[in-house]
């Protein structure tokens, strides 16, 4: 039923203008045309990230969206650091923290927050 369908991340924010700057400029996602007030849709690979205003923004402390970036991981982390993105550091007993990157065997992952505190994730898989 849904296995062959693309899925999109849908992320609630309080400040749509700050979100537009972050997702469009900091993350370099392409804004798609739309006419819904307080809703922004960005192209991300073959899928989309929808950002919309909500009174419930940033109430989820879990990961809201993950980008699987493969071999570009290190370059993307460096670019985000250069744009001032602050990464989260978590206590993960099964892995180790190398700078801003959590390493568990061949897995590398990094988490950061958007301006409303939504947790976003980049991984090398």
């Amino acid at each position: 039923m849904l296995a062959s369908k693309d899925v999109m991340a849908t992320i609630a924010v309080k400040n749509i203008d700050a979100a537009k700057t972050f997702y469009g400029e900091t993350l370099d996602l392409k804004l798609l045309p739309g006419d819904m007030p307080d809703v922004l849709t960005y192209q991300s690979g073959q899928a989309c990230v929808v950002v919309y205003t909500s009174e419930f923004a940033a109430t989820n402390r879990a990961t809201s969206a993950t980008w699987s970036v493969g071999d570009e991981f290190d370059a993307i982390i460096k670019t985000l650091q250069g744009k001032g993105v602050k990464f989260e550091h978590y206590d993960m007993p099964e892995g180790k923290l190398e700078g801003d990157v959590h390493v568990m065997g061949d897995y590398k992952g990094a988490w950061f927050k958007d301006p409303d505190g939504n947790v976003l994730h980049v991984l090398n898989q």
Side-chain angles (χ1 to χ4, degrees):
M1 174 177 65
L2 295 177
S4 65
K5 306 299 181 197
D6 289 335
V7 65
M8 71 179 77
T10 307
I11 301 172
V13 299
K14 292 179 183 174
N15 184 329
I16 199 74
D17 293 325
K20 185 173 187 176
T21 299
F22 182 78
Y23 287 92
E25 295 176 20
T26 303
L27 299 188
D28 202 27
L29 298 179
K30 179 184 174 189
L31 181 62
L32 298 174
D35 58 1
M36 293 180 61
D38 296 323
V39 177
L40 303 171
T41 302
Y42 292 93
Q43 185 71 43
S44 184
Q46 297 298 313
C48 295
V49 175
V50 176
V51 179
Y52 69 100
T53 57
S54 171
E55 67 182 284
F56 301 108
T59 57
N60 177 8
R61 296 186 303 169
T63 301
S64 296
T66 298
W67 285 269
S68 178
V69 298
D71 293 339
E72 297 178 59
F73 179 84
D74 292 330
I76 288 171
I77 296 305
K78 189 172 187 168
T79 298
L80 290 172
Q81 289 168 331
K83 290 184 174 195
V85 171
K86 302 296 181 208
F87 289 87
E88 300 296 301
H89 297 167
Y90 299 114
D91 182 21
M92 297 182 159
E94 65 277 5
K96 61 183 174 178
L97 187 63
E98 294 180 2
D100 288 322
V101 176
H102 294 277
V103 179
M104 291 167 261
D106 291 336
Y107 167 89
K108 290 182 180 180
W111 287 264
F112 56 97
K113 293 181 179 177
D114 75 1
D116 283 296
N118 292 298
V119 179
L120 306 174
H121 178 220
V122 176
L123 71 121
N124 70 330
Q125 307 282 312

